[in-house]
Structures are given as structure tokens and as C-alpha cells.
């Protein structure tokens, strides 16, 4: 087992979770408007949805890897290209981060927010595409089956995201205040996200 690769994956996942996106902004808004426990319910729903995407990618991508080395190479190139594309999309986007809580609808129960987070996640095909792009470059063991490694990576991704999203929910008030008061933080997070996407893409291209 190559622990260096696994640690690199943990670091990349942490940076991606910190970078602003629709999921963590949604968690932030729910926490600000309804309270921490409602934000945490949303977090649990979002993270639970990742199990579905991990399963789809684990069994689908592992079959590709086992069947043909050229297909595996194609999968890695696709993964790197997709991450470069995501970096370009972030580059073209505005740097400002909006955390205004207008139009979030009527207050929901904890169960409703859990279901909403879960459904938001599983109905987003971009999550599976992202996992498909990310996971093959971080296979960390020659002895463990590919399916098992994909599930390990999936649960590591879920665990790291759970911790960071939960911290966002717990610190919602302070975070939102900082985002509103600091006009440069959006630009810093934007370039952090671009750097992470490009760095992971290069890692995937040159990994064995």
C-alpha cells in the first residue's frame, strides 16, 4: 500500500471541500438561516448520496481497468482533461461568493433537509463524472482489488468532506461574516480551486 498516494488524496479532497461550491454554500446558507443542526442534516444527506456514486464508479471503472490497459490509459486522460476543464470553468467564473439567504423556500424539518441533500447529490451526474475522473489516478495498492480501492477512496472522500462541511455548518456565522467583509477571499479561494484541479490533473497524468 502506498500511503503517500492516499495522503495526497486526503489533502486534495480537503482542499476541494474547502473551495466554494454549490454544496458547501447550500450548507452554509441553511446553517445561517435555520441553525447548525439543520446545516448538519443537510451535510449528512449530501455525504450519504456519495455512496451511490462511489458504487457506480467502483464497479464500472474497475471493469474498464481490468479489461484493457489502453482503456485505463484513456480513462486517466479523460480524468485529467475533465479536471483541466473544471479549472478553466472556475477561471472564467466570477470570484465573488454570494451567501445571501434569499429564496431558500420555507423552513424544512431535519428529515426533509437530509432527503433534499441526498437527492441533490444522487441526481447530480457530475458527481459520478468527477469520481470517475479523480479515483483512477489515486489507486494506492497492488494487492487490494480495484473495487475495494475505489470504495476506500469513496469513503475517505466522504469522511473528509463530512468533517469540513460540518465545520462550515458549525462556524456558519463567522464564515459568512468573513466572506462578506473580505473582498479578496473569493479571489483567493478561486485560485486555490484552480490550482488544486490542475495539480490533481497533472498527478493523474503522470501516476503509474
Amino acid at each position: 500500500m502506498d500511503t503517500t498516494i492516499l495522503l495526497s488524496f486526503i489533502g486534495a479532497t480537503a482542499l476541494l471541500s474547502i473551495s466554494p461550491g454549490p454544496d458547501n454554500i447550500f450548507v452554509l446558507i441553511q446553517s445561517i438561516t435555520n441553525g447548525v443542526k439543520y446545516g448538519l442534516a443537510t451535510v449528512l444527506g449530501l455525504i450519504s448520496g456519495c455512496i451511490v456514486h462511489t458504487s457506480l464508479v467502483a464497479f464500472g471503472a474497475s471493469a474498464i481497468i481490468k479489461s484493457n490497459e489502453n482503456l485505463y490509459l484513456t480513462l486517466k486522460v479523460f480524468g485529467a482533461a475533465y479536471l483541466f476543464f473544471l479549472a478553466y470553468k472556475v477561471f472564467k467564473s466570477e470570484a465573488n461568493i454570494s451567501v445571501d439567504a434569499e429564496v431558500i423556500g420555507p423552513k424544512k424539518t431535519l428529515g426533509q433537509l437530509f432527503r433534499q441533500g441526498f437527492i441533490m447529490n444522487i441526481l447530480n451526474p457530475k458527481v459520478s463524472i468527477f469520481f470517475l475522473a479523480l479515483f483512477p489516478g489515486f489507486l494506492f495498492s497492488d494487492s487490494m482489488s480495484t473495487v475495494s480501492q475505489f470504495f476506500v477512496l469513496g469513503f475517505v472522500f466522504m469522511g473528509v468532506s463530512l468533517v469540513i462541511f460540518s465545520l462550515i455548518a458549525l462556524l456558519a456565522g463567522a464564515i459568512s461574516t468573513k466572506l462578506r467583509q473580505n473582498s479578496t477571499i473569493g479571489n483567493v479561494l478561486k485560485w486555490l480551486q484552480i490550482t488544486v484541479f490542475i495539480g490533481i490533473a497533472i498527478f493523474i497524468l503522470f501516476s503509474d
Side-chain angles (χ1 to χ4, degrees), residues 10 19-20 37 40 60 68 84 91 110 123 126 135-136 157 160 170 192:
I10 292 171
S19 301
K37 64 180 181 179
L40 292 174
N68 192 307
F84 280 128
F91 174 73
L110 295 175
L123 293 183
K126 291 181 180 179
F135 288 2
F157 185 94
V160 173
L170 291 168
L192 172 64

Side-chain angles (χ1 to χ4, degrees), residues 94-116:
E94 294 184 6
N96 61 302
I97 303 170
S98 175
V99 293
D100 293 329
E102 74 271 5
V103 199
I104 64 167
K107 186 172 181 177
K108 296 179 174 64
T109 65
L110 295 175
Q112 287 173 327
L113 280 173
F114 175 88
R115 286 194 298 273
Q116 183 173 350

Side-chain angles (χ1 to χ4, degrees), residues 34-197:
N34 297 320
V36 171
K37 64 180 181 179
Y38 291 90
L40 292 174
T42 306
V43 170
L44 291 174
L46 288 166
I47 299 302
S48 298
C50 290
I51 298 173
V52 176
H53 294 287
T54 298
S55 301
L56 291 173
V57 172
F59 291 108
S62 64
I64 293 173
I65 291 170
K66 287 179 181 177
S67 64
N68 192 307
E69 285 190 6
N70 290 330
L71 285 176
Y72 175 48
L73 178 61
T74 301
L75 185 62
K76 287 176 62 176
V77 171
F78 156 78
Y82 182 66
L83 291 168
F84 280 128
F85 170 70
L86 291 179
Y88 174 75
K89 284 190 69 178
V90 174
F91 174 73
K92 296 293 289 183
S93 67
E94 294 184 6
N96 61 302
I97 303 170
S98 175
V99 293
D100 293 329
E102 74 271 5
V103 199
I104 64 167
K107 186 172 181 177
K108 296 179 174 64
T109 65
L110 295 175
Q112 287 173 327
L113 280 173
F114 175 88
R115 286 194 298 273
Q116 183 173 350
F118 181 79
I119 292 170
M120 275 176 60
N121 191 283
I122 64 171
L123 293 183
N124 184 0
K126 291 181 180 179
V127 179
S128 284
I129 294 171
F130 183 73
F131 282 5
L132 186 63
L134 187 66
F135 288 2
F138 287 91
L139 296 177
F140 54 88
S141 175
D142 294 327
S143 57
M144 188 182 296
S145 72
T146 307
V147 171
S148 297
Q149 290 184 74
F150 270 70
F151 273 107
V152 169
L153 292 174
F155 282 109
V156 168
F157 185 94
M158 290 165 60
V160 173
S161 299
L162 175 63
V163 170
I164 292 177
F165 279 24
S166 296
L167 287 174
I168 290 172
L170 291 168
L171 302 173
I175 292 172
S176 65
T177 301
K178 291 292 184 184
L179 290 177
R180 290 189 176 99
Q181 290 178 346
N182 193 330
S183 59
T184 62
I185 193 167
N187 200 48
V188 171
L189 291 173
K190 173 180 176 177
W191 282 101
L192 172 64
Q193 198 170 15
I194 291 170
T195 303
V196 171
F197 280 140

